[in-house]
Amino acid sequence: MPERHNALPELEPSSLLAVIEFTETQVKNFRRSLLSWYPRHRRAFPWREEPSLYRTVVSEFMLQQTQVSTVLPYFERWMKRFPDFETLANARESDVLKHWEGLGYYNRARNLRRLAEKLSGRKSMPETPEAWRELPGVGPYTAAAVTSIAFGARAACVDGNVVRILSRIHSDDTEFRDGGAAARAYTATAAALLDPARPGDHNQAMMELGATVCFRTKPLCTTCPLLRFCRAGQGGDPEKHPVLAAKKVTRVEVPRLWCRRDNSLLLHRASGTARRLADLYELPDAQLLGLEAGDTESLGPILLRRKRSITRYRITETIHRYSPPRGRKVPLSAGSGLEWIPLDRLNGITLSGPHRKWVDELIAAEGEADSDG
DNA sequence: AAGCCGGGGCC
DNA sequence: GGCCCAGGCTT
């Protein structure tokens, strides 16, 4: 067994949290290795090939908790419809949400539009992370990303990629309650490592490395430019880091109604101030009409049963074909959020991603049933 | 600090 | 089925 080359100083486990104990020289070599790797391996994305402040901001909002492959088609459509802050600021929120349909975390879209409203009226753009933090939807990560990329601000990004890389470099066994706690713990380390001469490239390089080399499972350590700085990569088990506490999962059953009348479908629209899915439509929860889960007798036959996850909730949604009992009207009291939507208007409204799919699916199925009969 | 917000990719 | 992803807001 050949002796491993280990460029790292011996570290006490307890000292690993806040700052990597690299020498000045090691920090410089770390930056040089990273920045030499980046231009040779960076992927071409529309917001990189044709960069602008606006495109950088839009991409960062879309990329919050969302993978690049998912974002790409949305980004292109978005740029055609809302090419700049001005256009976005003047657009209707319903139109903005429609273009976000299916991406999830819909407050990102509302915040992005509000941000555009605040910026489109200004003579000059804010250029510091502190100033960007004042804008809606901009937290520590996005402020650092936007200002380092667009203005060369010396602000370090700490996202899931960076946490994964740094925790492996440390071989850090600290258990964090979630990714956010880990990100806060690594903020000082990331700042100390940031290359002050090229902050934007440095940040993007770290995230690119996390996305294309330092995978959560089966990382490509043998090709990693930072291997010589990485304790887990050299002698440990990279997949064990970072250590995040297990999340509690809650299971939920939601009965929903497929309620047709003439050429309309009954839908529920969340209020504009709702915490979840504000202003978006979904098939009505049976409980809104005073019906109980499991009461198939009054709910009607099952048309569809689907599982999905929303953060820590494991949700099973069962869609029943519902016909109101004779003589009983569906109560459309003001403020209930229930609306009859004509079928020819369905494409114009915004549903949550899964409900959009299910509604389209069921409408198509009814069409076939009709032509069969 | 803890809870909440979507949806999809991947193992 | 479980975990993660270019996080941020509310309480």
Side-chain angles (χ1 to χ4, degrees), chain A residues 304-319:
Chain A
L304 214 55
R305 190 173 164 83
R306 292 282 190 278
K307 293 182 179 181
R308 61 166 165 155
S309 296
I310 299 177
T311 62
R312 71 183 190 87
Y313 295 96
R314 185 80 186 159
I315 302 168
T316 304
E317 297 176 74
T318 308
I319 302 174

mmCIF file with all atom_site columns, all heavy atoms in Angstrom, chain A residues 304-319:
data_model
loop_
_atom_site.group_PDB
_atom_site.id
_atom_site.type_symbol
_atom_site.label_atom_id
_atom_site.label_alt_id
_atom_site.label_comp_id
_atom_site.label_asym_id
_atom_site.label_entity_id
_atom_site.label_seq_id
_atom_site.pdbx_PDB_ins_code
_atom_site.Cartn_x
_atom_site.Cartn_y
_atom_site.Cartn_z
_atom_site.occupancy
_atom_site.B_iso_or_equiv
_atom_site.pdbx_formal_charge
_atom_site.auth_seq_id
_atom_site.auth_comp_id
_atom_site.auth_asym_id
_atom_site.auth_atom_id
_atom_site.pdbx_PDB_model_num
ATOM 1   N N   . LEU A 1 304 ? -58.908 8.767  -10.044 1.00 0.00 ? 304 LEU A N   1
ATOM 2   C CA  . LEU A 1 304 ? -57.447 8.872  -10.087 1.00 0.00 ? 304 LEU A CA  1
ATOM 3   C C   . LEU A 1 304 ? -56.919 8.854  -8.657  1.00 0.00 ? 304 LEU A C   1
ATOM 4   O O   . LEU A 1 304 ? -57.542 9.401  -7.752  1.00 0.00 ? 304 LEU A O   1
ATOM 5   C CB  . LEU A 1 304 ? -57.076 10.215 -10.747 1.00 0.00 ? 304 LEU A CB  1
ATOM 6   C CG  . LEU A 1 304 ? -55.836 10.338 -11.609 1.00 0.00 ? 304 LEU A CG  1
ATOM 7   C CD1 . LEU A 1 304 ? -55.851 9.308  -12.717 1.00 0.00 ? 304 LEU A CD1 1
ATOM 8   C CD2 . LEU A 1 304 ? -55.781 11.743 -12.199 1.00 0.00 ? 304 LEU A CD2 1
ATOM 9   N N   . ARG A 1 305 ? -55.799 8.202  -8.473  1.00 0.00 ? 305 ARG A N   1
ATOM 10  C CA  . ARG A 1 305 ? -55.162 8.193  -7.146  1.00 0.00 ? 305 ARG A CA  1
ATOM 11  C C   . ARG A 1 305 ? -53.667 8.394  -7.354  1.00 0.00 ? 305 ARG A C   1
ATOM 12  O O   . ARG A 1 305 ? -53.017 7.625  -8.056  1.00 0.00 ? 305 ARG A O   1
ATOM 13  C CB  . ARG A 1 305 ? -55.461 6.864  -6.462  1.00 0.00 ? 305 ARG A CB  1
ATOM 14  C CG  . ARG A 1 305 ? -55.079 6.801  -4.999  1.00 0.00 ? 305 ARG A CG  1
ATOM 15  C CD  . ARG A 1 305 ? -55.595 5.491  -4.394  1.00 0.00 ? 305 ARG A CD  1
ATOM 16  N NE  . ARG A 1 305 ? -54.951 5.199  -3.121  1.00 0.00 ? 305 ARG A NE  1
ATOM 17  C CZ  . ARG A 1 305 ? -55.321 5.709  -1.956  1.00 0.00 ? 305 ARG A CZ  1
ATOM 18  N NH1 . ARG A 1 305 ? -56.340 6.558  -1.922  1.00 0.00 ? 305 ARG A NH1 1
ATOM 19  N NH2 . ARG A 1 305 ? -54.681 5.395  -0.847  1.00 0.00 ? 305 ARG A NH2 1
ATOM 20  N N   . ARG A 1 306 ? -53.120 9.458  -6.786  1.00 0.00 ? 306 ARG A N   1
ATOM 21  C CA  . ARG A 1 306 ? -51.727 9.806  -7.040  1.00 0.00 ? 306 ARG A CA  1
ATOM 22  C C   . ARG A 1 306 ? -51.014 10.175 -5.744  1.00 0.00 ? 306 ARG A C   1
ATOM 23  O O   . ARG A 1 306 ? -51.614 10.751 -4.851  1.00 0.00 ? 306 ARG A O   1
ATOM 24  C CB  . ARG A 1 306 ? -51.642 11.001 -8.000  1.00 0.00 ? 306 ARG A CB  1
ATOM 25  C CG  . ARG A 1 306 ? -52.098 10.691 -9.421  1.00 0.00 ? 306 ARG A CG  1
ATOM 26  C CD  . ARG A 1 306 ? -51.036 9.939  -10.192 1.00 0.00 ? 306 ARG A CD  1
ATOM 27  N NE  . ARG A 1 306 ? -51.369 9.852  -11.602 1.00 0.00 ? 306 ARG A NE  1
ATOM 28  C CZ  . ARG A 1 306 ? -52.194 8.965  -12.136 1.00 0.00 ? 306 ARG A CZ  1
ATOM 29  N NH1 . ARG A 1 306 ? -52.815 8.098  -11.340 1.00 0.00 ? 306 ARG A NH1 1
ATOM 30  N NH2 . ARG A 1 306 ? -52.423 8.952  -13.423 1.00 0.00 ? 306 ARG A NH2 1
ATOM 31  N N   . LYS A 1 307 ? -49.729 9.866  -5.708  1.00 0.00 ? 307 LYS A N   1
ATOM 32  C CA  . LYS A 1 307 ? -48.915 10.268 -4.577  1.00 0.00 ? 307 LYS A CA  1
ATOM 33  C C   . LYS A 1 307 ? -47.929 11.342 -5.012  1.00 0.00 ? 307 LYS A C   1
ATOM 34  O O   . LYS A 1 307 ? -47.437 11.322 -6.130  1.00 0.00 ? 307 LYS A O   1
ATOM 35  C CB  . LYS A 1 307 ? -48.145 9.073  -4.015  1.00 0.00 ? 307 LYS A CB  1
ATOM 36  C CG  . LYS A 1 307 ? -49.028 8.031  -3.386  1.00 0.00 ? 307 LYS A CG  1
ATOM 37  C CD  . LYS A 1 307 ? -48.212 6.898  -2.813  1.00 0.00 ? 307 LYS A CD  1
ATOM 38  C CE  . LYS A 1 307 ? -49.138 5.867  -2.162  1.00 0.00 ? 307 LYS A CE  1
ATOM 39  N NZ  . LYS A 1 307 ? -48.402 4.753  -1.565  1.00 0.00 ? 307 LYS A NZ  1
ATOM 40  N N   . ARG A 1 308 ? -47.668 12.253 -4.098  1.00 0.00 ? 308 ARG A N   1
ATOM 41  C CA  . ARG A 1 308 ? -46.611 13.231 -4.359  1.00 0.00 ? 308 ARG A CA  1
ATOM 42  C C   . ARG A 1 308 ? -46.091 13.750 -3.022  1.00 0.00 ? 308 ARG A C   1
ATOM 43  O O   . ARG A 1 308 ? -46.675 13.513 -1.968  1.00 0.00 ? 308 ARG A O   1
ATOM 44  C CB  . ARG A 1 308 ? -47.114 14.388 -5.222  1.00 0.00 ? 308 ARG A CB  1
ATOM 45  C CG  . ARG A 1 308 ? -48.236 15.184 -4.599  1.00 0.00 ? 308 ARG A CG  1
ATOM 46  C CD  . ARG A 1 308 ? -48.397 16.464 -5.387  1.00 0.00 ? 308 ARG A CD  1
ATOM 47  N NE  . ARG A 1 308 ? -49.672 17.129 -5.092  1.00 0.00 ? 308 ARG A NE  1
ATOM 48  C CZ  . ARG A 1 308 ? -49.849 18.442 -5.245  1.00 0.00 ? 308 ARG A CZ  1
ATOM 49  N NH1 . ARG A 1 308 ? -48.878 19.191 -5.698  1.00 0.00 ? 308 ARG A NH1 1
ATOM 50  N NH2 . ARG A 1 308 ? -51.008 18.996 -4.966  1.00 0.00 ? 308 ARG A NH2 1
ATOM 51  N N   . SER A 1 309 ? -44.995 14.455 -3.080  1.00 0.00 ? 309 SER A N   1
ATOM 52  C CA  . SER A 1 309 ? -44.400 14.996 -1.863  1.00 0.00 ? 309 SER A CA  1
ATOM 53  C C   . SER A 1 309 ? -44.362 16.508 -1.930  1.00 0.00 ? 309 SER A C   1
ATOM 54  O O   . SER A 1 309 ? -44.050 17.090 -2.962  1.00 0.00 ? 309 SER A O   1
ATOM 55  C CB  . SER A 1 309 ? -42.978 14.482 -1.694  1.00 0.00 ? 309 SER A CB  1
ATOM 56  O OG  . SER A 1 309 ? -42.989 13.090 -1.522  1.00 0.00 ? 309 SER A OG  1
ATOM 57  N N   . ILE A 1 310 ? -44.721 17.141 -0.832  1.00 0.00 ? 310 ILE A N   1
ATOM 58  C CA  . ILE A 1 310 ? -44.541 18.578 -0.699  1.00 0.00 ? 310 ILE A CA  1
ATOM 59  C C   . ILE A 1 310 ? -43.736 18.776 0.565   1.00 0.00 ? 310 ILE A C   1
ATOM 60  O O   . ILE A 1 310 ? -44.216 18.543 1.662   1.00 0.00 ? 310 ILE A O   1
ATOM 61  C CB  . ILE A 1 310 ? -45.888 19.319 -0.614  1.00 0.00 ? 310 ILE A CB  1
ATOM 62  C CG1 . ILE A 1 310 ? -46.694 19.088 -1.884  1.00 0.00 ? 310 ILE A CG1 1
ATOM 63  C CG2 . ILE A 1 310 ? -45.653 20.803 -0.391  1.00 0.00 ? 310 ILE A CG2 1
ATOM 64  C CD1 . ILE A 1 310 ? -48.068 19.722 -1.874  1.00 0.00 ? 310 ILE A CD1 1
ATOM 65  N N   . THR A 1 311 ? -42.530 19.188 0.391   1.00 0.00 ? 311 THR A N   1
ATOM 66  C CA  . THR A 1 311 ? -41.545 19.294 1.478   1.00 0.00 ? 311 THR A CA  1
ATOM 67  C C   . THR A 1 311 ? -41.595 18.036 2.334   1.00 0.00 ? 311 THR A C   1
ATOM 68  O O   . THR A 1 311 ? -41.315 16.963 1.861   1.00 0.00 ? 311 THR A O   1
ATOM 69  C CB  . THR A 1 311 ? -41.751 20.578 2.318   1.00 0.00 ? 311 THR A CB  1
ATOM 70  O OG1 . THR A 1 311 ? -43.013 20.556 2.937   1.00 0.00 ? 311 THR A OG1 1
ATOM 71  C CG2 . THR A 1 311 ? -41.605 21.767 1.437   1.00 0.00 ? 311 THR A CG2 1
ATOM 72  N N   . ARG A 1 312 ? -41.994 18.140 3.614   1.00 0.00 ? 312 ARG A N   1
ATOM 73  C CA  . ARG A 1 312 ? -41.906 16.954 4.447   1.00 0.00 ? 312 ARG A CA  1
ATOM 74  C C   . ARG A 1 312 ? -43.200 16.145 4.456   1.00 0.00 ? 312 ARG A C   1
ATOM 75  O O   . ARG A 1 312 ? -43.338 15.178 5.204   1.00 0.00 ? 312 ARG A O   1
ATOM 76  C CB  . ARG A 1 312 ? -41.514 17.330 5.876   1.00 0.00 ? 312 ARG A CB  1
ATOM 77  C CG  . ARG A 1 312 ? -42.577 18.050 6.664   1.00 0.00 ? 312 ARG A CG  1
ATOM 78  C CD  . ARG A 1 312 ? -42.028 18.428 8.040   1.00 0.00 ? 312 ARG A CD  1
ATOM 79  N NE  . ARG A 1 312 ? -43.080 18.925 8.918   1.00 0.00 ? 312 ARG A NE  1
ATOM 80  C CZ  . ARG A 1 312 ? -43.831 18.118 9.679   1.00 0.00 ? 312 ARG A CZ  1
ATOM 81  N NH1 . ARG A 1 312 ? -43.647 16.832 9.654   1.00 0.00 ? 312 ARG A NH1 1
ATOM 82  N NH2 . ARG A 1 312 ? -44.775 18.626 10.451  1.00 0.00 ? 312 ARG A NH2 1
ATOM 83  N N   . TYR A 1 313 ? -44.168 16.528 3.620   1.00 0.00 ? 313 TYR A N   1
ATOM 84  C CA  . TYR A 1 313 ? -45.432 15.819 3.592   1.00 0.00 ? 313 TYR A CA  1
ATOM 85  C C   . TYR A 1 313 ? -45.487 14.815 2.454   1.00 0.00 ? 313 TYR A C   1
ATOM 86  O O   . TYR A 1 313 ? -45.117 15.115 1.322   1.00 0.00 ? 313 TYR A O   1
ATOM 87  C CB  . TYR A 1 313 ? -46.601 16.810 3.472   1.00 0.00 ? 313 TYR A CB  1
ATOM 88  C CG  . TYR A 1 313 ? -46.709 17.695 4.672   1.00 0.00 ? 313 TYR A CG  1
ATOM 89  C CD1 . TYR A 1 313 ? -46.130 18.958 4.673   1.00 0.00 ? 313 TYR A CD1 1
ATOM 90  C CD2 . TYR A 1 313 ? -47.348 17.246 5.815   1.00 0.00 ? 313 TYR A CD2 1
ATOM 91  C CE1 . TYR A 1 313 ? -46.201 19.773 5.792   1.00 0.00 ? 313 TYR A CE1 1
ATOM 92  C CE2 . TYR A 1 313 ? -47.429 18.052 6.945   1.00 0.00 ? 313 TYR A CE2 1
ATOM 93  C CZ  . TYR A 1 313 ? -46.848 19.315 6.914   1.00 0.00 ? 313 TYR A CZ  1
ATOM 94  O OH  . TYR A 1 313 ? -46.919 20.099 8.021   1.00 0.00 ? 313 TYR A OH  1
ATOM 95  N N   . ARG A 1 314 ? -45.946 13.647 2.793   1.00 0.00 ? 314 ARG A N   1
ATOM 96  C CA  . ARG A 1 314 ? -46.165 12.610 1.797   1.00 0.00 ? 314 ARG A CA  1
ATOM 97  C C   . ARG A 1 314 ? -47.678 12.554 1.583   1.00 0.00 ? 314 ARG A C   1
ATOM 98  O O   . ARG A 1 314 ? -48.426 12.121 2.453   1.00 0.00 ? 314 ARG A O   1
ATOM 99  C CB  . ARG A 1 314 ? -45.637 11.275 2.332   1.00 0.00 ? 314 ARG A CB  1
ATOM 100 C CG  . ARG A 1 314 ? -45.699 10.152 1.341   1.00 0.00 ? 314 ARG A CG  1
ATOM 101 C CD  . ARG A 1 314 ? -44.544 10.246 0.376   1.00 0.00 ? 314 ARG A CD  1
ATOM 102 N NE  . ARG A 1 314 ? -44.689 9.234  -0.659  1.00 0.00 ? 314 ARG A NE  1
ATOM 103 C CZ  . ARG A 1 314 ? -44.084 9.320  -1.825  1.00 0.00 ? 314 ARG A CZ  1
ATOM 104 N NH1 . ARG A 1 314 ? -43.320 10.358 -2.091  1.00 0.00 ? 314 ARG A NH1 1
ATOM 105 N NH2 . ARG A 1 314 ? -44.235 8.375  -2.720  1.00 0.00 ? 314 ARG A NH2 1
ATOM 106 N N   . ILE A 1 315 ? -48.115 13.014 0.423   1.00 0.00 ? 315 ILE A N   1
ATOM 107 C CA  . ILE A 1 315 ? -49.542 13.231 0.211   1.00 0.00 ? 315 ILE A CA  1
ATOM 108 C C   . ILE A 1 315 ? -50.098 12.247 -0.804  1.00 0.00 ? 315 ILE A C   1
ATOM 109 O O   . ILE A 1 315 ? -49.530 12.051 -1.872  1.00 0.00 ? 315 ILE A O   1
ATOM 110 C CB  . ILE A 1 315 ? -49.793 14.672 -0.281  1.00 0.00 ? 315 ILE A CB  1
ATOM 111 C CG1 . ILE A 1 315 ? -49.230 15.654 0.741   1.00 0.00 ? 315 ILE A CG1 1
ATOM 112 C CG2 . ILE A 1 315 ? -51.268 14.912 -0.515  1.00 0.00 ? 315 ILE A CG2 1
ATOM 113 C CD1 . ILE A 1 315 ? -49.161 17.067 0.250   1.00 0.00 ? 315 ILE A CD1 1
ATOM 114 N N   . THR A 1 316 ? -51.213 11.633 -0.437  1.00 0.00 ? 316 THR A N   1
ATOM 115 C CA  . THR A 1 316 ? -51.950 10.811 -1.382  1.00 0.00 ? 316 THR A CA  1
ATOM 116 C C   . THR A 1 316 ? -53.239 11.545 -1.739  1.00 0.00 ? 316 THR A C   1
ATOM 117 O O   . THR A 1 316 ? -54.058 11.814 -0.871  1.00 0.00 ? 316 THR A O   1
ATOM 118 C CB  . THR A 1 316 ? -52.279 9.436  -0.791  1.00 0.00 ? 316 THR A CB  1
ATOM 119 O OG1 . THR A 1 316 ? -51.068 8.806  -0.379  1.00 0.00 ? 316 THR A OG1 1
ATOM 120 C CG2 . THR A 1 316 ? -52.989 8.568  -1.820  1.00 0.00 ? 316 THR A CG2 1
ATOM 121 N N   . GLU A 1 317 ? -53.400 11.875 -2.989  1.00 0.00 ? 317 GLU A N   1
ATOM 122 C CA  . GLU A 1 317 ? -54.599 12.582 -3.430  1.00 0.00 ? 317 GLU A CA  1
ATOM 123 C C   . GLU A 1 317 ? -55.455 11.632 -4.241  1.00 0.00 ? 317 GLU A C   1
ATOM 124 O O   . GLU A 1 317 ? -54.976 10.998 -5.185  1.00 0.00 ? 317 GLU A O   1
ATOM 125 C CB  . GLU A 1 317 ? -54.218 13.816 -4.256  1.00 0.00 ? 317 GLU A CB  1
ATOM 126 C CG  . GLU A 1 317 ? -53.447 14.821 -3.430  1.00 0.00 ? 317 GLU A CG  1
ATOM 127 C CD  . GLU A 1 317 ? -52.974 16.022 -4.233  1.00 0.00 ? 317 GLU A CD  1
ATOM 128 O OE1 . GLU A 1 317 ? -53.805 16.884 -4.573  1.00 0.00 ? 317 GLU A OE1 1
ATOM 129 O OE2 . GLU A 1 317 ? -51.763 16.061 -4.522  1.00 0.00 ? 317 GLU A OE2 1
ATOM 130 N N   . THR A 1 318 ? -56.712 11.528 -3.850  1.00 0.00 ? 318 THR A N   1
ATOM 131 C CA  . THR A 1 318 ? -57.665 10.665 -4.539  1.00 0.00 ? 318 THR A CA  1
ATOM 132 C C   . THR A 1 318 ? -58.758 11.524 -5.154  1.00 0.00 ? 318 THR A C   1
ATOM 133 O O   . THR A 1 318 ? -59.425 12.289 -4.450  1.00 0.00 ? 318 THR A O   1
ATOM 134 C CB  . THR A 1 318 ? -58.288 9.658  -3.551  1.00 0.00 ? 318 THR A CB  1
ATOM 135 O OG1 . THR A 1 318 ? -57.240 8.984  -2.846  1.00 0.00 ? 318 THR A OG1 1
ATOM 136 C CG2 . THR A 1 318 ? -59.137 8.646  -4.298  1.00 0.00 ? 318 THR A CG2 1
ATOM 137 N N   . ILE A 1 319 ? -58.896 11.426 -6.460  1.00 0.00 ? 319 ILE A N   1
ATOM 138 C CA  . ILE A 1 319 ? -59.884 12.254 -7.144  1.00 0.00 ? 319 ILE A CA  1
ATOM 139 C C   . ILE A 1 319 ? -61.152 11.438 -7.408  1.00 0.00 ? 319 ILE A C   1
ATOM 140 O O   . ILE A 1 319 ? -61.103 10.392 -8.060  1.00 0.00 ? 319 ILE A O   1
ATOM 141 C CB  . ILE A 1 319 ? -59.314 12.794 -8.471  1.00 0.00 ? 319 ILE A CB  1
ATOM 142 C CG1 . ILE A 1 319 ? -58.044 13.596 -8.178  1.00 0.00 ? 319 ILE A CG1 1
ATOM 143 C CG2 . ILE A 1 319 ? -60.343 13.645 -9.193  1.00 0.00 ? 319 ILE A CG2 1
ATOM 144 C CD1 . ILE A 1 319 ? -57.314 14.046 -9.411  1.00 0.00 ? 319 ILE A CD1 1
#
